[in-house]
Amino acid sequence: MAAGETQLYAKVSGKLKGRSSPSLLDPLLAMGFPVHTALKALAATGRKTAEEACSWLRCHCDDPSLDDPIPQEYALFLCPTGPLLERLQDFWKESRRQCARNRAHEVFPHVTLCDFFTCEDQKVECLYEALKKAGDRARASFPPALPLALHSSGSYLGFFISDGPADLIREFAMVFASEASVLADCTVKPCTKQLHLTLAHKFYPHHQRTLEQLARAIPPDPSCQWTAALYSRDMRFVHYQTLRALFRYEPQNEDELALSPGDYIFVDPTQQEEASEGWAVGTSQRTGCRGFLPQNYTERASEADTWVKHRTYTFSLAVELSSRKDGEASGRQGGEFAAAQPARSVGTLQTLQAALARRRVLVVRHGERVDQVFGKSWLQQCCTPDGRYHRPDLNFPSSLPRRSSGLKAFENDPPLSSCGVFQARMAGDALQASGIRIAAVFASPALRCVQTAKHILEELQLERRLKIRVEPGIFEWTKWEASKAPPALMTLEELKEAGLSVDTNYRSHPWACASVKRTERRGGGSW
């Protein structure tokens, strides 16, 4: 690190005289990592193990900001556990399904105890000490039950905590802020407003009644154990949009970003002018590198998906006493203060395993489509002046099915290429070799998806026994055809005339369009 950067880092971070555990820092220093990057890696991974920090450093070897003196931002939340958490998570899922996404879906169920604040990397362990001291002081007086009162307005829905218990919780937050100031030299602003657990925020007004009905179905749980949880986030991407990679992408140019399934990407919506249609500029959380990425390889993720959990403190005498025995051993490895979640019963596991054994759902992506290979002008390459189809390349289909709307309709509803047909047959061959038994087949109404299902069934030798159920609910019109009108898809009669064995008696369920999880991001799922 250059002399100027060293001075800047020292100005922000202070002297490296932290009280970090040698069992975590020493292995990283022995590998040759500089002390400031080792501390940064430990803070970014929640100071759990040296192995995780080492893996983080190896992934960030090309991160241009690795030496930047930018600390993490931290916040303290009060989080429910057990059955109440499960009910709240069900509400999160159902409210999103029925009323679309709102601001509450960006974060997990929680009560905010303080604003986000910064802490120098070498003083993070002091925050853990502050949390434990504050928890030990508040444990005896912590409310045995937190009564939650539902409150609703035009843009907010949530549970309010009554004044008596709320005062005790705020006192705990103030003790933590005081301890953090002394031990970690942090300025923490504890929450002084009405304590609340947000259920929905900034939603459409016409969804208020539905959200209220879903909220009233959440049963109260006075026996819920509450946990104080310390989280951190990368302060550089607070106002960015978070995307999750669905597929692997290998860069074709040096300014593109490599993607692996599950990667999180930070994208600033206000700085996308240089990206062409269907592309975005983002920064990978896994590697710290910045570049262009195809948007149809990603899906929208929640803001809190990229947050790192550091330590928790559960307000229960029984749990705390039992966790102290394990805490000494787990603490040496960066363990949490709270005890682990109770294991599931044997009967529950057996029931779950039996249910999984009875039924499985296979999701298959469609094969290569013609416009992915030859571009959006592919139809112009295969149309004669008199409006007939000819095959200019062997990767074009040998023929196109007849449709009442004419050849022009294939522009927005393209067929499989010859390679796509081969891919579908290979998938069917692999399923045949695996011995999997297929009971029913559903396909998006997009031509390429019905064709994929057809060729897979042929390889499985099931084309006569199983008919393809065309389900509009699993079709998605996305970035590939942005800013255009929805396509005119082929009718069941036209698909059947084209030799595709579709079930003309199948009728789509009315809830299908809203309930199907949209995993296919390139213009339609398969089956």
Side-chain angles (χ1 to χ4, degrees):
M1 188 165 60
E5 293 175 339
T6 304
Q7 293 175 0
L8 180 60
Y9 184 84
K11 181 178 180 180
V12 175
S13 301
K15 297 179 180 180
L16 299 177
K17 59 176 182 179
R19 300 156 67 177
S20 54
S21 171
S23 63
L24 293 178
L25 184 58
D26 287 356
L28 301 176
L29 299 181
M31 295 177 192
F33 294 113
V35 63
H36 67 281
T37 57
L39 288 168
K40 188 172 188 175
L42 287 171
T45 56
R47 300 191 71 93
K48 295 179 178 65
T49 65
E51 289 76 11
E52 287 190 42
C54 180
S55 177
W56 187 93
L57 285 167
R58 296 188 189 281
C59 289
H60 284 256
C61 60
D62 295 323
D63 183 352
S65 66
L66 185 59
D67 287 328
D68 289 351
I70 303 175
Q72 294 273 304
E73 269 192 334
Y74 296 83
L76 186 63
F77 301 120
L78 188 65
C79 303
T81 63
L84 178 58
L85 176 59
E86 294 177 2
R87 301 297 182 273
L88 290 170
Q89 290 172 334
D90 290 342
F91 172 87
W92 251 245
K93 181 179 179 180
E94 191 64 18
S95 63
R96 183 171 177 177
R97 185 183 74 82
Q98 294 193 31
C99 304
R101 193 186 191 102
N102 63 67
R103 280 292 301 168
H105 293 121
E106 295 293 330
V107 189
F108 43 80
H110 72 283
V111 177
T112 301
L113 298 185
C114 69
D115 294 344
F116 273 95
F117 61 94
T118 58
C119 179
E120 298 168 10
D121 293 339
Q122 75 274 16
K123 296 181 180 179
V124 174
E125 278 198 344
C126 298
L127 281 183
Y128 305 162
E129 187 177 348
L131 174 59
K132 191 174 189 309
K133 284 190 173 184
D136 287 345
R137 285 182 56 179
R139 184 180 60 195
S141 60
F142 192 84
L146 292 185
L148 303 175
L150 185 64
H151 173 79
S152 178
S153 66
S155 62
Y156 176 84
L157 179 71
F159 289 125
F160 280 7
I161 301 176
S162 57
D163 291 340
D167 290 340
L168 297 174
I169 297 172
R170 278 192 287 262
E171 183 178 347
F172 159 74
M174 288 188 287
V175 172
F176 169 77
S178 177
E179 293 289 349
S181 176
V182 173
L183 297 174
D185 194 23
C186 295
T187 302
V188 181
K189 183 180 179 183
C191 182
T192 56
K193 299 179 180 179
Q194 172 75 56
L195 294 184
H196 57 275
L197 190 155
T198 299
L199 297 175
H201 182 44
K202 293 187 177 179
F203 48 84
Y204 292 109
H206 61 277
H207 288 154
Q208 182 176 357
R209 183 176 179 181
T210 301
L211 291 170
E212 288 178 356
Q213 291 175 343
L214 293 174
R216 292 192 183 99
I218 301 175
D221 186 7
S223 62
C224 172
Q225 289 184 350
W226 291 82
T227 296
L230 188 66
Y231 280 84
S232 75
R233 66 183 182 183
D234 194 322
M235 61 188 298
R236 297 173 298 169
F237 307 112
V238 171
H239 300 295
Y240 282 46
Q241 188 180 83
T242 306
L243 304 179
R244 181 189 294 107
L246 296 172
F247 314 109
R248 182 177 300 278
Y249 179 76
E250 295 295 335
Q252 307 299 311
N253 300 288
E254 61 180 12
D255 60 351
E256 294 178 1
L257 194 62
L259 299 179
S260 294
D263 282 359
Y264 290 102
I265 313 298
F266 300 111
V267 174
D268 185 353
T270 65
Q271 297 181 0
Q272 300 300 314
E273 298 84 359
E274 53 185 311
S276 57
E277 182 179 341
W279 290 76
V281 182
T283 301
S284 170
Q285 184 200 33
R286 180 174 61 86
T287 65
C289 296
R290 187 173 186 269
F292 292 94
L293 64 142
Q295 287 181 307
N296 49 19
Y297 275 54
T298 65
E299 67 177 357
R300 178 77 180 274
S302 299
E303 175 186 330
D305 287 346
T306 59
W307 293 1
V308 177
K309 181 189 283 189
H310 286 254
R311 298 293 182 273
T312 63
Y313 190 103
T314 301
F315 294 95
S316 169
L317 288 173
V319 172
E320 181 62 13
L321 289 174
S322 64
S323 68
R324 283 190 175 185
K325 297 179 181 179
D326 298 329
E328 295 180 0
S330 64
R332 290 193 294 269
Q333 300 176 358
E336 297 182 350
F337 301 130
Q341 292 288 341
R344 293 178 180 267
S345 66
V346 175
T348 302
L349 288 174
Q350 290 176 343
T351 302
L352 179 61
Q353 291 170 353
L356 291 175
R358 286 195 298 270
R359 178 172 297 182
R360 285 182 293 178
V361 177
L362 301 177
V363 181
V364 182
R365 188 175 186 268
H366 62 74
E368 180 185 82
R369 45 195 275 183
V370 174
D371 54 347
Q372 286 178 326
V373 184
F374 299 102
K376 294 185 178 181
S377 61
W378 70 275
L379 201 57
Q380 301 173 11
Q381 305 174 41
C382 59
C383 284
T384 62
D386 59 352
R388 296 178 179 272
Y389 172 79
H390 77 100
R391 191 183 192 185
D393 187 284
L394 289 178
N395 201 22
F396 274 79
S398 57
S399 62
L400 292 178
R402 188 193 67 81
R403 59 197 305 170
S404 58
S405 47
L407 287 178
K408 182 67 175 175
F410 287 106
E411 182 176 358
N412 289 336
D413 184 25
L416 293 178
S417 66
S418 297
C419 287
V421 172
F422 175 75
Q423 291 171 341
R425 290 191 175 278
M426 287 292 289
D429 183 64
L431 290 174
Q432 174 75 4
S434 70
I436 291 177
R437 299 176 61 185
I438 306 297
V441 179
F442 297 85
S444 159
L447 175 59
R448 57 194 175 273
C449 300
V450 182
Q451 289 177 324
T452 298
K454 169 185 182 297
H455 295 300
I456 289 177
L457 287 176
E458 287 178 348
E459 290 299 312
L460 291 170
Q461 300 179 0
L462 295 175
E463 69 277 9
R464 295 185 179 180
R465 186 166 66 86
L466 292 180
K467 292 186 179 294
I468 303 168
R469 300 175 181 179
V470 178
E471 175 51 69
I474 53 179
F475 175 79
E476 184 174 13
W477 188 245
T478 55
K479 291 289 184 179
W480 186 261
E481 299 89 355
S483 74
K484 297 181 180 179
L489 301 171
M490 294 179 67
T491 64
L492 293 178
E493 290 72 20
E494 289 174 336
L495 292 172
K496 186 175 181 180
E497 183 182 342
L500 300 169
S501 182
V502 296
D503 187 351
T504 55
N505 295 320
Y506 172 73
R507 294 295 179 266
S508 172
H509 293 286
W511 45 260
C513 293
S515 64
V516 173
K517 185 177 187 297
R518 296 170 176 175
T519 57
E520 170 55 51
R521 306 299 296 174
R522 296 192 71 116
S526 36
W527 62 310

